[in-house]
Amino acid sequence: FKMFGMSINTMTLGGLAVAIGELVDDAIVDVENVFRRLRENRQLEKPRNSLQVIYEASSEVRNSIVFATIIVVLVFIPLFAMDGIEGKIFLPLGIAYITSIIASLFVSLTLTPALCSYLLPNMKRMSAEHDSWLLRKIKGSQTRVLNVAFPHSKLVLTAVAILTFTVLAMVPFFGKEFLPQFNEGSVTINILTPPGTSLAESNRIGTIAENLIREVPEATETGRRTGRAERDDHAEGVHSSEIEVELKPSKRARADILADIRTRLDEIPGIAINIGQPISHRIDHMMSGVRAQIAIKLFGTDLDVLRAKAEEIRQVMSDVNGVVDLSVEKQVLIPQVHVLFDREKAATYGLLSGEAAEYAELAMQGKAVGQVLDGQRTYDIVMRLSDASRSDIDSIKQIPVDTKDGNVVPLQAIANVQDAKGPNIINRENAQRRIVIQANVSERDLVGVVKKVQAAIDSKVQLPQGYYLTYGGQFESQASASRLIAVLSLFSLAGMFMVLFVHFKSANLALQVMVSIPLAFIGAVIGVWLSGGVFSIATMVGFVTLTGIAARNGIMMIAHYLHLMEHEGERFDLAMIYR
């Protein structure tokens, strides 16, 4: 960890937690084989030197342990190709997992045999001629299973094949998400009032919202921020409020608590709400620039068309089951004053439009003409029209403009000053104007809801030429990460086959090990189904881990078969397999 610049955190601890079972696996294999060989040696008429027996017993399983560890490292390679949020999350997990596995390999090849030489040869249990009670029960159960399986091998293989294909056929029908639903113990609620709402009014509405939220039994504390400073990383107008709500444990499901909060906030007219959680909200914002799980971006040139089509899309999405917190980005027309310069009139006074515009800018925006020193602080002296004059169109028309001949003319003499409406905000992405329709998902899987939304929009919304949609948020990251893992997993499987071929020097035996992988997925898929039937990138990481474990078990078993035949004169028959 020190070498990779990593720390002890949730993800590195997660990697260690996932690896714990395999960390002891190498030592278990080594100790079990040493124990068995020492017991066999004890029962000989002329027992051999214990150190020699331990050395040979450890060497017997050494290659299998090494190659099994290489396989585990290989299957984790796809995690290192992840970028974006998923890479930041799972890369520390992968590094923690692999480094701990390699460390356990080193320990099992050095420390474990040394400890065996001290602790095993003289233990009382070594003199027993039979296995422990638990091991006898396990072996007896396994023998009964084999007694049924071998006479009906074709039936068993057919049944397993059918079960495998049936389980794998279930996978496309599972729901899909980017990350599993967090339960952070708190809720982040964004409230948007119409643009132009004053800070005082936003504060009043925010107070009402907090009081309504505190009526929810699980809400213990609230904290609110209304508006954000202009130099904030995420500048917002004063029409935006963000409320953090701390929740206490409850018998009610989380979805029911959030539904309760939404119902209470619906009592406030004219606001748009978005409910998420502190961490997941930030993840959404980093991925799409929008604090929501689904971000549909509509691109085009005309704001009126964008607003109309965005509202049309919102209406279509509102009919899709599972969509909550649905809203359209607040791009609205607000009162403005437009100053349209007449080049010909300006030319008659010897002025360029840009020169005349400087006078208007000076009057409206102001200009620093000096400074005042107050101790260690410096304040600019700004000259401009008074606040009352800057909001009065008649005063704006009378802004004085100096001409070349030394005369002064009012601004209206060279420009058309008029009341008008303009957008409150202009959002662009890749140099194109866009408006966002955003939503969250409740009690449904994210990908399934997005697919239904896409189908509904494609069938019911017609976009003018030059206008188009993109789908962002967690859905986009889930799709790209899934594709990447799927493609790189093929390369990992190819590398796995090559390693197995080098180890066994037989394509047949290499394939025999790899056949165990889809069979291991039977239990994994059933486990996913029992826990809600939703696939996420975290689930895929679990499947990657399972691939290494399944291959490892196959390697150990087949390597032991080969050892019995090569070194102990066994034939490949049922008796050897029973043994």
Side-chain angles (χ1 to χ4, degrees), residues 27 184 192 267 276 485 572:
E184 301 175 30
L192 292 177
E267 297 177 14
I485 290 178
F572 191 83

Side-chain angles (χ1 to χ4, degrees), residues 26 63-77 98 101-102 105 492 495-496 498-500 502-503 548 552 555:
D26 291 339
N63 284 350
S64 298
I65 291 174
V66 171
F67 277 92
T69 302
I70 293 172
I71 293 294
V72 170
V73 173
L74 269 178
V75 298
F76 254 80
I77 286 177
I98 287 175
I101 290 295
I102 292 174
L105 171 67
S492 290
M496 186 188 303
M498 294 300 297
V499 170
L500 292 171
V502 169
H503 180 42
R552 187 188 192 92
I555 291 172

Side-chain angles (χ1 to χ4, degrees), residues 7 19 32 79 81 103 135 140 164 178 196 206 211 249 265 278 290 319 343 400 404 426 456 459 492 527 534 549 570:
S7 64
E32 190 276 338
L79 294 189
L135 200 55
T164 302
F178 176 57
N211 290 333
L265 292 180
V290 178
D319 296 329
R343 294 178 183 274
K404 294 292 184 182
I426 297 174
S459 62
S492 290
V534 177
I549 296 172
E570 290 278 1

Side-chain angles (χ1 to χ4, degrees), residues 432-443:
Q432 292 181 291
R433 179 174 258 177
R434 59 102 168 132
I435 191 169
V436 174
I437 305 95
Q438 64 184 40
N440 290 322
V441 175
S442 176
E443 300 186 75

Side-chain angles (χ1 to χ4, degrees), residues 17-54:
V18 172
I20 279 178
E22 288 185 82
L23 290 183
V24 298
D25 198 27
D26 291 339
I28 288 173
V29 170
D30 199 21
V31 171
E32 190 276 338
N33 204 52
V34 169
F35 178 84
R36 183 165 53 87
R37 293 305 186 188
L38 283 173
R39 196 171 65 181
E40 291 174 356
N41 183 61
R42 175 74 71 89
Q43 295 166 3
L44 296 176
E45 291 184 5
K46 294 182 178 180
R48 299 161 56 210
N49 182 274
S50 295
L51 283 179
Q52 183 66 28
V53 173
I54 292 171

Side-chain angles (χ1 to χ4, degrees), residues 509-528:
L509 295 179
L511 288 173
Q512 177 76 22
V513 172
M514 297 189 71
V515 163
S516 64
I517 295 172
L519 303 186
F521 286 164
I522 294 174
V525 172
I526 293 174
V528 172

Side-chain angles (χ1 to χ4, degrees), residues 129 142 315 341 352 383 419 455:
E129 296 183 4
Q142 174 72 357
Q315 291 286 350
F341 289 97
L352 297 174
M383 180 180 67
D419 284 319

